[in-house]
């Protein structure tokens, strides 16, 4: 109710017009459905529960501008609305509209400070191992064919025999315990799957059978997990060894969600996606100049509730995409909304020397982030001459060692896919050097240095020097607050587990979750409610009360 009083109508029907036709039966207002979807995520409701709240909740009716006797709508309308948004690429429209309104009121702007972090998202499907994936994929294809072409399927496969094996879902019975039995079952799945694919692709089979999504998924899974060879005794089916499997980015993990992938982070595996959340994190004193039309009354708002944190961007990827791969795309998204920060706080998974330089040159954004330290043996031991002990003359393409000797080799190279410069010192110079043991471990050659380009190396050296100071560490502590935002997203909207299947629908869920969190924060800020703090024990609270 406070949001409606302060911001008025957030989502007009015209903003969603392209997803709806002008002919046909009369439908519900897409602007109202967008707001209902936001309120649904704010309370973590199912479609049925959200429709019930619209029908009987007076506060929701007020927020939607509905009459008290309005009967609402059926829960299926929300599913149809989301499908239309995804079909027309409007997943982020609600977030864009809210941020535009907040920019007009001076509550969020470009420049300042922002922070970004990612977290895992579990797909709305069951985790399957390779054996379960094969069995369930074949079962799903048979179910689809039994519905679409029952007569053809009855002639193509032995129905009675296959019903015993593929009738129940794969998670409704226990798999064999011995490895030999599991291997035999996997090969049986493989032979049956190839037999079904051969029948669907036969010359006399209906063409549209092979175009069914479930049959195409079956073909993809079999190509990824099985091979078939021709021997003297006939065709022989084999399972691919683990080293022969395609990379996780390409490998299907479920027949029901083709975008979900296996992810690995900090030694933990999951099936699904990753979401990257960006929010403002300006110091509290910089919020004092917010204009009066920003919606705060004198004596309330930020003074009581602390600084306002607004989520400015949501990016959803499959689980295999690394944080570093999203550093540049996130800045492109922020630039499209005219919300690029001056300083962007990130953890060590996002940056590289190339990205630090590139984001500064392309977007004018300074990345405040720890970089990997020098990994040379001398730097790790702290007892020898690390790279910083050498003077680099970039103009003359030469390096000078602590003893005053100059390098004899300067050559561009590619190391682990990254452009580098290899600098070498002559072995005749290094061998008789009295401090050789502190400089190199090479038995025959001289000292070798690996450098980045001039701009990148200078930025890298400066960042490594700065991040060891207490001042930089105190400044970087600002980034830690984004962990609280992730916790709020998980606890309030249930972002840890995807509600829907597919990358686009999962991203729509995340975008509307971001809108819901922003409205919750605005409401708390306008009403002077302080941000939640880390929970404290009963004993700690007793100690505080006694101290007071």
């Amino acid at each position: 109710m406070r949001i409606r009083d302060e911001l008025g109508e957030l989502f007009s029907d015209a903003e969603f017009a392209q997803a709806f036709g002008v002919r046909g039966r009369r439908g519900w207002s897409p602007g109202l459905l967008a707001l209902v979807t936001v309120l649904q995520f704010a309370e973590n409701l199912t479609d049925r529960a959200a429709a019930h709240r619209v029908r009987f909740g007076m506060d929701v009716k007020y927020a939607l501008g509905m009459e008290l006797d309005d009967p609402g709508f059926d829960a299926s309308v929300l599913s149809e609305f989301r499908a239309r948004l995804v079909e027309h690429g409007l997943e982020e429209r609600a977030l864009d509209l809210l941020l535009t309104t907040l920019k007009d009121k001076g509550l969020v702007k470009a420049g300042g400070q922002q922070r970004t972090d990612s977290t895992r998202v579990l797909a709305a499907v069951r985790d399957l191992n390779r054996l379960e994936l094969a069995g369930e994929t074949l079962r799903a294809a048979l179910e689809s064919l039994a519905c679409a072409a029952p007569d053809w399927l009855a002639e193509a496969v032995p129905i009675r025999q296959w019903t015993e094996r593929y009738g129940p879902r794969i998670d409704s019975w226990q798999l064999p315990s011995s490895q030999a039995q599991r291997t035999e079952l996997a090969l049986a799945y493989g032979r049956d799957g190839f037999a079904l694919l051969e029948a669907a692709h036969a010359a006399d089979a209906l063409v549209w059978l092979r175009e069914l999504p479930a049959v195409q998924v079956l073909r993809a899974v079999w190509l990824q997990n099985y091979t078939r060879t021709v021997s003297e005794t006939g065709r022989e089916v084999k399972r691919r060894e683990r080293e022969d499997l395609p990379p996780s980015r390409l490998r299907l993990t479920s027949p029901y969600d083709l975008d979900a992938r296996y992810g690995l982070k900090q030694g933990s595996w999951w099936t699904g996606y990753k979401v990257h959340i960006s929010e403002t994190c300006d110091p509290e004193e910089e919020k004092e100049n917010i204009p009066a039309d920003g919606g705060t009354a004198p004596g309330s708002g930020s003074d009581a509730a602390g600084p306002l944190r607004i989520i400015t961007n949501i990016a959803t990827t499959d689980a295999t995409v690394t944080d570093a791969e999203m550093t540049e795309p996130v800045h492109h998204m922020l630039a499209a909304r005219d919300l690029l920060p001056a300083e962007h706080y990130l953890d060590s998974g996002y940056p590289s020397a190339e990205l630090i330089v590139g984001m500064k040159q392309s977007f004018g954004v300074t990345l405040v982030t720890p970089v990997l330290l020098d990994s040379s043996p001398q730097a790790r031991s702290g007892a020898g001459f690390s790279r910083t002990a050498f003077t680099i003359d970039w103009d003359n393409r030469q390096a000078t060692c602590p003893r005053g000797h100059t390098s004899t080799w300067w050559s561009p190279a590619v190391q682990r896919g990254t452009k580098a410069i290899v600098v070498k010192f002559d072995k005749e110079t290094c061998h008789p050097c009295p401090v050789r043991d502190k400089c190199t471990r090479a038995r025959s050659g001289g000292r070798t240095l690996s450098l980045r380009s001039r701009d990148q190396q200078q930025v890298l050296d400066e960042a490594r020097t700065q991040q060891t100071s207490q001042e930089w560490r105190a400044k970087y502590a600002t980034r830690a607050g984004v962990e609280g935002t992730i916790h709020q997203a998980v606890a309030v909207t249930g972002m840890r587990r995807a509600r829907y299947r597919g990358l686009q629908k999962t991203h729509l869920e995340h975008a509307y979750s971001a809108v819901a969190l922003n409205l919750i924060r605005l409401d708390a800020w306008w009403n002077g409610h302080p941000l939640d703090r880390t929970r404290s024990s009963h004993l700690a609270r007793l100690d505080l009360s006694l101290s007071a």
Side-chain angles (χ1 to χ4, degrees):
M1 295 170 64
R2 181 65 185 266
I3 294 298
R4 183 173 179 83
D5 291 341
E6 297 288 352
L7 301 181
E9 183 186 28
L10 277 176
F11 313 124
S12 65
D13 291 346
E15 297 292 342
F16 302 91
Q18 68 186 82
F20 295 85
V22 296
R23 301 179 62 183
R25 62 184 177 88
R26 184 177 178 83
W28 248 68
S29 161
L32 290 183
L33 288 177
L35 186 54
V36 170
T37 304
V38 172
L39 298 176
Q40 174 186 7
F41 285 105
E43 299 184 8
N44 198 13
L45 302 176
T46 63
D47 287 354
R48 190 176 298 276
H52 187 271
R53 287 279 282 121
V54 171
R55 187 175 297 112
F56 298 106
M58 293 183 62
D59 54 346
V60 176
K61 286 183 180 291
Y62 179 86
L64 298 175
M66 296 169 54
E67 299 293 338
L68 292 180
D69 58 350
D70 194 306
F73 53 84
D74 186 78
S76 62
V77 172
L78 291 174
S79 177
E80 296 174 2
F81 174 67
R82 292 191 299 269
R84 287 180 177 270
L85 294 183
V86 169
E87 182 181 356
H88 292 83
L90 299 177
E91 298 93 338
E92 297 186 3
R93 181 58 58 86
L95 180 59
D96 291 336
L97 292 174
L98 174 61
L99 291 175
T100 300
T101 301
L102 296 181
K103 283 194 296 183
D104 294 340
K105 292 183 173 294
L107 295 177
V108 65
K109 60 183 179 179
Q113 299 176 353
Q114 291 189 36
R115 54 197 178 195
T116 297
D117 202 1
S118 65
T119 187
R120 68 197 67 181
V121 178
L122 306 181
V125 292
R126 182 179 182 274
D127 285 337
L128 301 174
N129 57 38
R130 290 182 61 193
L131 179 58
E132 293 171 329
L133 174 63
E136 189 61 28
T137 301
L138 181 52
R139 196 192 74 85
L142 290 170
E143 285 290 301
S144 179
L145 289 169
C147 180
D151 295 336
W152 175 87
L153 185 63
E155 297 179 359
V157 302
I159 294 296
R160 183 175 299 276
Q161 178 182 351
W162 282 29
T163 299
E164 296 179 1
R165 178 177 294 170
Y166 304 110
R169 290 180 61 94
I170 198 68
D171 58 352
S172 63
W173 55 282
Q174 188 172 2
L175 294 174
S177 56
S178 72
Q179 186 60 43
Q181 291 177 325
R182 285 175 176 249
T183 301
E184 179 57 36
L185 182 59
L187 294 177
Y189 287 158
R191 289 188 289 268
D192 292 346
F194 279 122
L196 182 61
L197 288 172
E198 282 185 349
H201 287 78
D204 58 345
L206 298 173
V207 176
W208 58 267
L209 289 177
R210 70 196 66 170
E211 297 176 355
L212 290 175
V215 176
Q216 293 180 346
V217 172
L218 175 66
R219 182 174 180 272
V221 171
W222 254 240
L223 285 174
Q224 293 177 355
N225 290 273
Y226 289 97
T227 60
R228 197 164 50 161
T229 59
V230 179
S231 61
E232 296 180 355
T233 58
R235 290 184 175 180
E236 183 179 1
V237 175
K238 294 182 179 180
R239 293 182 77 193
R240 292 186 184 273
E241 300 296 334
R242 288 191 177 275
E243 56 270 16
D244 296 331
L245 294 175
S248 295
R249 184 164 295 186
L250 302 176
R251 193 161 73 243
L252 299 181
T253 62
S254 170
Y256 306 114
D257 189 342
L258 306 185
D259 295 327
R261 294 292 184 268
Y262 294 118
L264 175 63
K265 187 175 184 179
Q266 297 176 349
S268 178
W269 285 92
W270 79 99
T271 301
Y273 306 93
K274 287 175 70 175
V275 59
H276 301 257
I277 304 177
S278 303
E279 67 170 359
T280 59
C281 57
D282 295 316
E284 185 170 359
E285 59 269 18
E286 295 187 12
K287 291 292 184 178
E288 294 177 355
N289 297 324
I290 292 178
D293 62 355
T296 57
S300 66
S302 60
D303 292 338
L308 177 62
R309 310 299 192 199
I310 295 296
I311 297 176
T312 56
N313 189 71
I314 285 286
T316 309
T317 68
D318 68 67
T320 64
V321 178
T322 63
D323 291 349
E325 293 177 86
M326 290 303 297
T327 303
E328 185 172 353
V330 165
H331 285 87
H332 278 292
M333 296 173 192
L334 291 171
R337 294 191 170 103
D338 193 22
L339 287 175
L340 277 171
E343 293 183 337
H344 202 168
Y345 291 76
L346 305 166
D347 65 20
S348 59
Y350 285 92
S352 65
E354 182 180 2
L355 288 172
I356 293 175
V357 174
M359 296 307 99
K360 187 66 175 180
Q361 293 176 346
S362 301
F363 302 101
V365 177
T366 300
L367 301 188
V368 182
T369 173
V371 297
L372 296 178
L373 298 177
D374 189 352
S375 59
S376 65
Q378 296 82 6
R380 291 199 304 268
S381 64
F385 297 122
S386 64
R387 199 216 57 77
T388 55
F390 291 75
T391 303
I392 308 300
D393 186 350
W394 295 96
D395 296 328
N396 294 319
R397 298 162 60 107
Q398 215 169 39
T400 304
C401 76
R403 298 282 296 178
H405 300 291
T406 57
S407 61
T408 58
W409 178 278
W410 180 290
S411 176
V414 177
Q415 297 177 340
R416 299 178 181 178
T418 302
K419 292 183 179 180
I421 299 172
V422 177
V423 180
K424 295 181 180 181
F425 287 81
D426 190 81
K427 64 179 181 179
E428 301 300 333
T429 302
C430 291
H431 270 283
C433 183
V435 293
R436 174 183 173 82
D437 294 340
K438 295 182 178 180
C439 189
T440 180
R441 295 181 179 181
R443 294 184 179 181
S444 57
R447 176 65 186 266
T448 301
L449 300 177
S450 294
L451 307 175
R452 300 292 184 90
S453 66
R454 184 172 187 169
D455 292 341
Q456 295 179 19
Q457 191 63 54
Q458 290 175 346
V459 166
L460 200 58
D461 292 342
E462 182 181 359
R464 286 170 175 170
T465 301
Q466 288 181 350
Q467 69 189 38
T468 58
S469 66
Q470 291 297 330
E471 181 182 357
W472 186 91
R473 292 176 181 176
K475 179 181 180 180
Y476 182 68
T478 301
R479 191 215 69 87
V482 74
E483 303 289 351
T485 298
I486 291 177
H487 170 75
Q488 185 185 25
V490 172
V492 174
T493 69
M495 190 178 284
R496 177 73 71 212
R497 294 182 177 274
R499 290 170 173 245
Y500 319 118
R501 296 171 182 172
L503 181 61
Q504 288 182 294
K505 286 190 175 180
T506 302
H507 180 56
L508 181 144
E509 173 191 348
H510 294 162
Y512 274 84
S513 295
V515 176
L517 293 176
N518 280 339
L519 296 188
I520 291 173
R521 293 178 173 194
L522 286 166
D523 175 63
W525 192 71
W526 278 323
N527 289 289
H529 296 160
L531 298 175
D532 290 339
R533 304 299 180 186
T534 303
R535 70 179 71 179
S536 57
S537 65
H538 294 289
L539 182 61
R541 289 198 294 270
L542 176 60
D543 179 59
L544 289 175
S545 63
L546 293 176
S547 300

